[in-house]
Amino acid sequence: MMIFVYGTLMKGYSNHDRCLGGYVVGLMRGTIRGKLYHMREGYPALITGDDEVYGEIMVIEDERALIWLDELEDYDSSREDNLFNRTIEKVTLEDGKIIECQVYTYADEDYARRKGEYLEHGDWKKYMPL
């Protein structure tokens, strides 16, 4: 299973080891189409758009990692009022190959646009360097 991450789940950031420690068997860099915002609550939010958003593809060996990730992202497939939604999206690797990955996208796009800080460059690492 592969998941595209673009914020606190990237390697070196606060939630990587806490939520993905021991589950990641591979890591690649890539981009996804969307718009990236930094929310005042302290995390990034990806919404629909045509910008290039940078992140990492985590290759996960055990789908039980999704339990931790869903909890972190406040996602439950049986609910309508999620903070993030988990979907399958196309991701472009550095070599140009396109793959499909799971990704958490921010559910309330209007709130992100109104209250978030738009990151035109699409790279949360530039905004929040290690």
Side-chain angles (χ1 to χ4, degrees):
M1 174 184 72
M2 291 185 281
I3 185 156
F4 179 82
V5 299
Y6 51 88
T8 66
L9 288 165
M10 290 188 291
K11 188 172 182 177
Y13 286 88
S14 61
N15 287 317
H16 179 80
D17 286 341
R18 187 168 74 91
C19 296
L20 293 172
Y23 291 109
V24 178
V25 296
L27 184 148
M28 300 171 277
R29 299 196 193 299
T31 60
I32 193 169
R33 290 286 175 201
K35 286 195 179 294
L36 189 63
Y37 289 82
H38 177 75
M39 305 307 294
R40 63 183 176 190
E41 294 84 357
Y43 51 79
L46 175 68
I47 65 171
T48 57
D50 290 324
D51 295 349
E52 195 169 44
V53 175
Y54 296 84
E56 298 170 347
I57 298 101
M58 303 288 169
V59 181
I60 308 294
E61 67 178 0
D62 188 337
E63 291 196 19
R64 288 181 293 180
L66 287 178
I67 295 168
W68 290 103
L69 297 175
D70 286 351
E71 184 176 312
L72 174 72
E73 306 293 5
D74 192 19
Y75 169 74
D76 182 332
S77 62
S78 66
R79 282 193 352 231
E80 295 285 325
D81 63 338
N82 292 305
L83 183 61
F84 285 84
N85 292 313
R86 181 165 36 95
T87 60
I88 296 175
E89 304 291 338
K90 288 181 172 35
V91 176
T92 304
L93 300 177
E94 288 180 306
D95 66 3
K97 181 179 176 187
I98 297 173
I99 61 172
E100 288 189 339
C101 292
Q102 298 202 46
V103 62
Y104 289 92
T105 57
Y106 200 67
D108 190 345
E109 293 192 359
D110 290 335
Y111 180 79
R113 286 187 193 98
R114 283 186 289 112
K115 300 294 185 176
E117 182 180 345
Y118 176 50
L119 304 182
E120 188 175 355
H121 53 68
D123 191 344
W124 201 67
K125 279 188 172 184
K126 284 184 180 178
Y127 183 80
M128 296 288 285
L130 289 172

